[in-house]
Amino acid sequence: MKNIKTFYLSSVVVTIRLLTFSLESIAQTESVNKIIVSFGGGAVPGIIDATNDLAEALFSNGTRTSDTGFSGAFGIHYDRAINEKFSAGIGISFLFEGIQKDVTITGSTNTTHEEAYKANYFTVLLNGSYSYSVKPKLEIYARLGLGTSFTKEKYREQQVETVDEDVLFAYQISPIGIRVGQKLFFQAEAGFGYVGILSIGLGYRF
């Protein structure tokens, strides 16, 4: 009889512990997921193009280039919290560039011709984040993303068009980011890579 009571008592204790563990697990999994939609400017491909244009203007023996263009990276990201400080996830972004150039040769001849450049970068990044500080309505964090970018570039000069496709190593290093809000939050991030020098976004925790 004593053994039976001991068995039932042990079963109750084990059941209570299992229920406690389950409730703790449920509590821990609340709002551990984040979906973020973002827009970034100043991504690496645009910086490289601007550097090339500067070099062309400085060292092309009288070539002057004036540009009109646009560039930006739209993205959607999913993150899942591992614990209070660390989270991991995946991000997909679409970076587009469009540049119209008027190139004037001011050497022995004074001629002007038009160049056009368009590029699309479809980028997939695996992200890891570390939170410096987590408050109910404020989070300060850093993010590192590594992945691949699938590119398609079109270049036209004097009615002659060339197309180039490539697969590139992609990254995003953001040493500082901030999220303000709870379920629905605003996010701003500063860094360097294929998302941009500065990106902003809206997110939802669930």
Side-chain angles (χ1 to χ4, degrees):
M1 185 71 177
K2 184 178 180 179
N3 290 335
I4 294 174
K5 287 183 178 180
T6 302
F7 172 77
Y8 279 120
L9 182 60
S10 299
S11 299
V12 170
V13 171
V14 170
T15 302
I16 291 172
R17 287 182 177 177
L18 287 173
L19 286 172
T20 302
F21 176 77
S22 299
L23 290 172
E24 288 176 349
S25 299
I26 291 170
Q28 290 173 357
T29 56
E30 288 182 356
S31 299
V32 299
N33 303 289
K34 292 188 288 287
I35 290 287
I36 303 153
V37 178
S38 67
F39 176 80
V44 164
I47 293 174
I48 293 173
D49 291 336
T51 303
N52 290 339
D53 286 345
L54 178 61
E56 181 183 25
L58 292 175
F59 306 110
S60 61
N61 191 26
T63 300
R64 184 177 68 256
T65 304
S66 62
D67 296 348
T68 58
F70 54 86
S71 177
F74 289 98
I76 182 167
H77 316 271
Y78 167 77
D79 276 337
R80 181 176 177 83
I82 299 171
N83 53 40
E84 187 178 344
K85 290 290 187 180
F86 292 94
S87 64
I90 186 169
I92 297 172
S93 66
F94 178 73
L95 169 66
F96 60 89
E97 286 189 275
I99 300 173
Q100 193 82 19
K101 300 181 180 181
D102 294 322
V103 181
T104 303
I105 309 298
T106 57
S108 58
T109 61
N110 191 356
T111 60
T112 300
H113 67 271
E114 186 182 87
E115 297 178 6
Y117 171 80
K118 292 183 180 180
N120 298 323
Y121 297 79
F122 179 77
T123 303
V124 180
L125 294 176
L126 297 178
N127 297 309
S129 299
Y130 172 77
S131 296
Y132 302 118
S133 175
V134 180
K135 305 293 183 183
K137 293 186 178 181
L138 177 66
E139 179 183 1
I140 302 172
Y141 67 96
R143 178 166 72 95
L144 172 66
L146 300 175
T148 301
S149 186
F150 303 89
T151 73
K152 184 175 183 179
E153 300 175 313
K154 292 183 179 181
Y155 178 75
R156 178 173 53 81
E157 181 178 5
Q158 296 180 327
Q159 307 305 317
V160 178
E161 185 175 272
T162 58
V163 179
D164 185 30
E165 296 183 1
D166 203 354
V167 179
L168 305 174
F169 171 70
Y171 57 89
Q172 178 67 30
I173 303 169
S174 297
I176 187 69
I178 185 171
R179 295 186 179 111
V180 181
Q182 290 183 307
K183 287 286 187 181
L184 184 66
F185 60 88
F186 169 80
Q187 171 180 297
E189 215 175 88
F192 185 78
Y194 277 69
V195 175
I197 292 176
L198 179 66
S199 69
I200 58 174
L202 290 174
Y204 180 74
R205 290 185 176 95
F206 60 97

